[in-house]
C-alpha cells in the first residue's frame, strides 16, 4: 500500500491567514484472489419481527441465501434470528453443507417484537467462539424496526458496539424500510468499525448483501488510523468526513476501518493557517498512517510517516489552486455536511432554514465554475432536496429523512458512488410509479403507445423534435453532440444511438446519472421502438415513428 497526501494550495502568501484543504490518502494494492483472501468468521443477525412479514422477509431470505452460496468451506458462518426472543438458526460452523443452510433459511417466519440487542449480542457471541486474527470477524445486523425489547438505550447500544470493536469484532448494520432508527444504526456501525446500509425497498436487500460481501471478500487491510500532528502553524483542524476521532494532546487520530483491494481511502481535513511571518518552506504538520496489512502469513502492522510542508511566498504573490481535484472532493463533502445540518433544522420543524442550508451548498458548487459531472449531479440533487424540504412536513417523512441521512453518511465515509446509486434507484422507482399511473388513466388500459416495435424516426424533447438520421447520433450537453440537451444532470456525452441495419440501438456512455428506458436503468444496448420514453436524469425524450 502507498500513503501520500495532497493540498489544494501548495503556496501561501506571507502575513496572510489562510485556509488549506488537505486530503490524506492510502492507496491499496490489488484485491486478493479467492484462495489468498482472509477467511470470514461471520454471523448474520436477522430481524424476523411481525413487521418483516411478506416481501421484506422474502427478499431477506434471498439475500441470506445468496451470501451462503458465495462463501467457501474456509469461512465460518452462524445465523441468528430475533423478535421478542432470540434463536440461533445456524450455529457457528464452516460452510460445507450449503443446501442444508439454505433450507433452514427458507423456514424463517415472521412474528413478535424487536429485541435488537439480544439478537446482535448473540451474533457477537457466535463470532467470539471462533475469533482469531487469521479471520475477518464480523457481525451483520439487519432490522426494519425500533429496538423495543432488551437494551433500547441509544448510548448504551453505541457504547457496546465500541466495546465489541475494541475486542476485535466489527458490526455492519442494515436498516430496511422506513420504521427503523437510522441515527442508531449509523452510530453503531461507526463505533464498531463496520458499514451502514439503507435498504430502501425490499427488492434491494440481495444487492446490499452482495455489496457488503464483495467488500468483505476484498479486505486487504484493517484498523486503518490516520493521525495528524499539527505544528504551531495550524490554529484549527476540522474533519470533513465522518470518521471516529480520538485526541491525544496535540495529536488527532481518525479511525477509518477496513481497506479494500484497489481502493483509495481518503481523509479530508480543513486546516486554519494563521499569518506566517517568514518566507520559504515551512512544515505545518506530520501525518502518521497505521494499519494492519493482511498477507499470506497473517496480519503485519505497518507504520508510515509523512511531513506536511508548504511554501510561503512574498507579499503580493497570490496563491494559485494547485490541485482542483481536492476542491471537488471538498465540495462533495460539504454537500454531505449540509444535509446533516438540514436534517437537524428539519427535525425542529425549521424547514425553510433547512432548505436554505441545501441551497447554499448548491450555490457554492455552482460558483466553483466547474464542469465536473459528479458535482453537477450533486448540485441538482441539493436543489431538488431544498425545493422538497421547503414544502415542510408534507415532504419530510421518515423515508425521506433516511434518504438524506444515508446520502450524507455514504459520501462522508468514502462511498459517494453508493449515494449516486441510491438516487438512481429512487429515480427508477419514481419513473415506474409514474408509468403505472399514466397507464391506469388510459381508457384501453395499455401501458404504452408502442406500435409493434417499429423503429422510430424522430425523438422529441421539450417540444423540440429531432430527426434520427445518420449511423451514429450522440446525445448530451456538449455542443459536439448531434442532439444537444442543455440541462443540468445530463452528462456532456450522455448516450449514443447507433444504426444497425433497420434498427436503432441506444447505449449509455458511462454517464453520471445513467440512462433510463421505460423505467429501467440501461445497463447494456437497447433496441429502440416507437413510443419508448427515455430519461436522462429529469429530461424526458420520446421516440416516435413518423
Amino acid at each position: 500500500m502507498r500513503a501520500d497526501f495532497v493540498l489544494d494550495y501548495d503556496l501561501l502568501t506571507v502575513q496572510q491567514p489562510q485556509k488549506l484543504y488537505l486530503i490524506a490518502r492510502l492507496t491499496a494494492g490489488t484485491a486478493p484472489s479467492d484462495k489468498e483472501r482472509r477467511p470470514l468468521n461471520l454471523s448474520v443477525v436477522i430481524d424476523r419481527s411481525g413487521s418483516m412479514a411478506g416481501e421484506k422477509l422474502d427478499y431477506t431470505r434471498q439475500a441470506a441465501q445468496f451470501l451462503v452460496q458465495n462463501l467457501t468451506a474456509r469461512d465460518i458462518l452462524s445465523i441468528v434470528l430475533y423478535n421478542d426472543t432470540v434463536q440461533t438458526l445456524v450455529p457457528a460452523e464452516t460452510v460445507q453443507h450449503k443446501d442444508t443452510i439454505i433450507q433452514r433459511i427458507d423456514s424463517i417466519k415472521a412474528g413478535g417484537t424487536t429485541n435488537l440487542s439480544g439478537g446482535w449480542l448473540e451474533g457477537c457471541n457466535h463470532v467470539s467462539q471462533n475469533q482469531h486474527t487469521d479471520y475477518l470477524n464480523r457481525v451483520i445486523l439487519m432490522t426494519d424496526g425500533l429496538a423495543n425489547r432488551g437494551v433500547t438505550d441509544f448510548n448504551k447500544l453505541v457504547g457496546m458496539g465500541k466495546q465489541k470493536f475494541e475486542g476485535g469484532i466489527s458490526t455492519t448494520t442494515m436498516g430496511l424500510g422506513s420504521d427503523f432508527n437510522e441515527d442508531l444504526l449509523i452510530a453503531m456501525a461507526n463505533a464498531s468499525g463496520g458499514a451502514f446500509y439503507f435498504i430502501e425497498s425490499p427488492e434491494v436487500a440481495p444487492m446490499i448483501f452482495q455489496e457488503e460481501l464483495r467488500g468483505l471478500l476484498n479486505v486487504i487491510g484493517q484498523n486503518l488510523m490516520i493521525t495528524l500532528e499539527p505544528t504551531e502553524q495550524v490554529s484549527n483542524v476540522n474533519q470533513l468526513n465522518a470518521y471516529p476521532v480520538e485526541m491525544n494532546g496535540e495529536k488527532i487520530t481518525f479511525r477509518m476501518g477496513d481497506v479494500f483491494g484497489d481502493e483509495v481511502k481518503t481523509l479530508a481535513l480543513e486546516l486554519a493557517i494563521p499569518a506566517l511571518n517568514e518566507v520559504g518552506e515551512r512544515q505545518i504538520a506530520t501525518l502518521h498512517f497505521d494499519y494492519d496489512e493482511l498477507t499470506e502469513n497473517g496480519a503485519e502492522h505497518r507504520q508510515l510517516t509523512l511531513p506536511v510542508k508548504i511554501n510561503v511566498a512574498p507579499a503580493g504573490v497570490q496563491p494559485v489552486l494547485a490541485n482542483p481535484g481536492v476542491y471537488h472532493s471538498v465540495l462533495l463533502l460539504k454537500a454531505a455536511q449540509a444535509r446533516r445540518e438540514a436534517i437537524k433544522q428539519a427535525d425542529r420543524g425549521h424547514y425553510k432554514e433547512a432548505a436554505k442550508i441545501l441551497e447554499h451548498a448548491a450555490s457554492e458548487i455552482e460558483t466553483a465554475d466547474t464542469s465536473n459531472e459528479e458535482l453537477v449531479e450533486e448540485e441538482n440533487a441539493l436543489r431538488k432536496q431544498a425545493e422538497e424540504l421547503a414544502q415542510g412536513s408534507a415532504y419530510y417523512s421518515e423515508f425521506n429523512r433516511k434518504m438524506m441521512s444515508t446520502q450524507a453518511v455514504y459520501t462522508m465515509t468514502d462511498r459517494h458512488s453508493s449515494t449516486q446509486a441510491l438516487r438512481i434507484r429512487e429515480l427508477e422507482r419514481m419513473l415506474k410509479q409514474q408509468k403505472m399511473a399514466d397507464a391506469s388513466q388510459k381508457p384501453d388500459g395499455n401501458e404504452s403507445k408502442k406500435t409493434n416495435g417499429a423503429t422510430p424516426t424522430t425523438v422529441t424533447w421539450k417540444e423540440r423534435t429531432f430527426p434520427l438520421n445518420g449511423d451514429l447520433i450522440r446525445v448530451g450537453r456538449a455542443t459536439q453532440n448531434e442532439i444537444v440537451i442543455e440541462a443540468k444532470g445530463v452528462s456532456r456525452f450522455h448516450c449514443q444511438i447507433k444504426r444497425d441495419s433497420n434498427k436503432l440501438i441506444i447505449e449509455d456512455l458511462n454517464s453520471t446519472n445513467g440512462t433510463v428506458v421505460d423505467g429501467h436503468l440501461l445497463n447494456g444496448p437497447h433496441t429502440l421502438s416507437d413510443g419508448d420514453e427515455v430519461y436522462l436524469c429529469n429530461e424526458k425524450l420520446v421516440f416516435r415513428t413518423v
Side-chain angles (χ1 to χ4, degrees):
M1 298 193 209
R2 180 172 57 86
D4 68 353
F5 68 89
V6 62
L7 299 166
D8 57 340
Y9 289 91
D10 55 13
L11 184 73
L12 300 182
T13 303
V14 72
Q15 296 179 342
Q16 251 185 304
Q18 286 191 241
K19 185 163 56 180
L20 274 178
Y21 290 107
L22 178 152
I23 293 184
R25 304 182 296 199
L26 186 72
T27 303
T30 305
S33 67
D34 191 54
K35 291 182 179 179
E36 295 172 337
R37 73 167 175 84
R38 199 176 204 184
L40 304 181
N41 176 19
L42 182 65
S43 185
V44 180
V45 181
I46 298 173
D47 182 346
R48 63 157 181 173
S49 59
S51 57
M52 284 288 291
E55 274 195 335
K56 288 182 180 180
L57 195 53
D58 290 341
Y59 281 106
T60 299
R61 282 194 290 257
Q62 287 182 30
Q65 288 168 343
F66 164 84
L67 186 146
V68 172
Q69 291 284 15
N70 285 273
L71 298 178
T72 72
R74 299 168 59 228
D75 300 310
I76 298 172
L77 174 69
S78 61
I79 299 177
V80 175
L81 309 178
Y82 69 95
N83 46 19
D84 45 322
T85 61
V86 177
Q87 173 195 352
T88 295
L89 182 71
V90 177
E93 59 186 27
T94 54
V95 185
Q96 293 179 316
H97 306 291
K98 292 185 178 181
D99 290 343
T100 301
I101 298 173
I102 287 171
Q103 288 172 9
R104 290 181 185 176
I105 293 171
D106 266 334
S107 70
I108 301 174
K109 292 181 172 59
T113 54
T114 307
N115 186 355
L116 182 147
S117 65
W120 170 56
L121 289 173
E122 184 66 11
C124 291
N125 289 337
H126 283 302
V127 172
S128 67
Q129 290 172 16
N130 297 283
Q131 187 174 348
H132 195 280
T133 55
D134 288 344
Y135 284 86
L136 198 160
N137 305 289
R138 177 70 61 93
V139 176
I140 297 177
L141 171 66
M142 197 281 289
T143 185
D144 80 325
L146 301 175
N148 51 28
R149 292 291 296 271
V151 180
T152 60
D153 182 81
F154 184 104
N155 292 325
K156 283 185 180 178
L157 286 167
V158 174
M160 289 159 62
K162 184 178 180 182
Q163 280 184 331
K164 294 298 180 184
F165 177 72
E166 291 171 347
I169 298 174
S170 56
T171 299
T172 281
T173 60
M174 298 179 178
L176 197 163
S178 58
D179 294 327
F180 67 92
N181 183 338
E182 64 270 28
D183 294 339
L184 172 62
L185 294 193
I186 289 170
M188 284 182 68
N190 201 27
S192 59
F196 163 77
Y197 295 91
F198 176 30
I199 306 175
E200 74 276 12
S201 186
E203 72 275 6
V204 179
M207 184 181 68
I208 296 297
F209 270 69
Q210 182 179 1
E211 183 178 341
E212 170 68 1
L213 180 62
R214 185 168 56 245
L216 293 177
L217 298 181
N218 287 323
V219 170
I220 63 173
Q222 287 189 286
N223 306 318
L224 171 62
M225 292 188 290
I226 298 180
T227 299
L228 182 80
E229 188 176 359
T231 68
E232 60 184 10
Q233 320 302 337
V234 178
S235 60
N236 189 56
V237 178
N238 177 40
Q239 179 193 188
L240 300 182
N241 299 90
Y243 296 113
V245 182
E246 296 175 5
M247 302 289 294
N248 182 9
E250 296 298 318
K251 295 181 180 180
I252 311 169
T253 298
F254 305 90
R255 181 158 53 81
M256 300 176 63
D258 297 332
V259 182
F260 306 113
D262 304 312
E263 180 186 24
V264 180
K265 199 86 170 181
T266 62
L267 170 70
L269 302 174
E270 180 184 272
L271 309 180
I273 311 294
L276 302 178
N277 297 320
E278 297 179 8
V279 173
E281 187 179 69
R282 304 290 294 276
Q283 181 169 337
I284 58 173
T286 303
L287 280 170
H288 304 277
F289 296 77
D290 288 85
Y291 58 93
D292 296 317
E293 185 169 3
L294 308 184
T295 68
E296 294 179 0
N297 302 318
E300 296 184 14
H301 189 69
R302 310 287 192 197
Q303 291 181 309
L304 303 170
T305 299
L306 297 174
V308 181
K309 297 180 180 180
I310 194 74
N311 289 306
V312 183
V317 177
Q318 291 301 314
V320 177
L321 187 64
N323 298 293
V326 172
Y327 197 50
H328 291 170
S329 298
V330 167
L331 288 171
L332 289 175
L333 289 166
K334 283 189 172 183
Q337 289 184 333
R339 288 189 177 90
R340 282 194 162 183
E341 290 302 315
I343 288 169
K344 291 178 183 178
Q345 292 296 328
D347 284 348
R348 301 185 186 107
H350 303 159
Y351 301 112
K352 290 184 179 179
E353 289 81 355
K356 286 179 182 178
I357 290 169
L358 298 181
E359 278 289 352
H360 177 76
S363 297
E364 191 170 358
I365 292 175
E366 184 179 33
T367 55
D369 191 27
T370 177
S371 60
N372 181 278
E373 297 289 354
E374 206 170 41
L375 288 175
V376 171
E377 190 266 345
E378 192 68 20
E379 180 191 345
N380 290 336
L382 286 165
R383 293 199 189 282
K384 181 174 182 292
Q385 288 170 336
E387 182 181 337
E388 291 167 338
L389 267 181
Q391 299 172 27
S393 58
Y395 165 79
Y396 195 61
S397 64
E398 287 289 337
F399 180 84
N400 289 327
R401 186 188 192 277
K402 286 172 173 58
M403 287 290 289
M404 288 182 62
S405 295
T406 303
Q407 290 175 41
V409 74
Y410 281 174
T411 298
M412 296 173 79
T413 52
D414 257 346
R415 297 160 61 199
H416 186 68
S417 60
S418 295
T419 292
Q420 294 173 308
L422 182 66
R423 290 180 193 146
I424 289 172
R425 293 198 299 268
E426 183 63 13
L427 176 61
E428 286 180 308
R429 273 188 289 275
M430 291 172 61
L431 292 173
K432 186 177 181 180
Q433 291 170 1
Q434 184 61 51
K435 185 179 178 182
M436 292 173 64
D438 291 345
S440 67
Q441 294 173 6
K442 295 173 185 175
D444 58 3
N446 292 330
E447 289 191 7
S448 71
K449 301 177 183 177
K450 295 186 178 182
T451 56
N452 300 320
T455 299
T457 56
T458 65
V459 60
T460 300
W461 169 64
K462 287 188 175 179
E463 300 182 354
R464 295 175 60 187
T465 299
F466 305 87
L468 297 174
N469 299 327
D471 294 329
L472 180 64
I473 305 163
R474 296 169 299 173
V475 185
R477 279 197 351 266
T479 56
Q480 294 91 337
N481 290 286
E482 283 69 34
I483 298 177
V484 179
I485 305 295
E486 298 172 349
K488 288 184 176 180
V490 176
S491 296
R492 295 183 68 251
F493 294 94
H494 199 107
C495 62
Q496 66 181 19
I497 302 166
K498 295 192 297 187
R499 190 173 300 278
D500 181 7
S501 186
N502 62 341
K503 297 179 180 179
L504 289 178
I505 312 294
I506 186 170
E507 299 173 328
D508 186 75
L509 295 176
N510 197 28
S511 63
T512 300
N513 293 313
T515 302
V516 177
V517 180
D518 289 337
H520 299 283
L521 184 66
L522 198 62
N523 55 17
H526 171 83
T527 301
L528 289 166
S529 299
D530 177 54
D532 270 343
E533 295 180 352
V534 175
Y535 278 83
L536 314 184
C537 197
N538 295 319
E539 305 306 315
K540 179 180 179 181
L541 283 69
V542 181
F543 289 81
R544 291 278 181 232
T545 302
V546 178

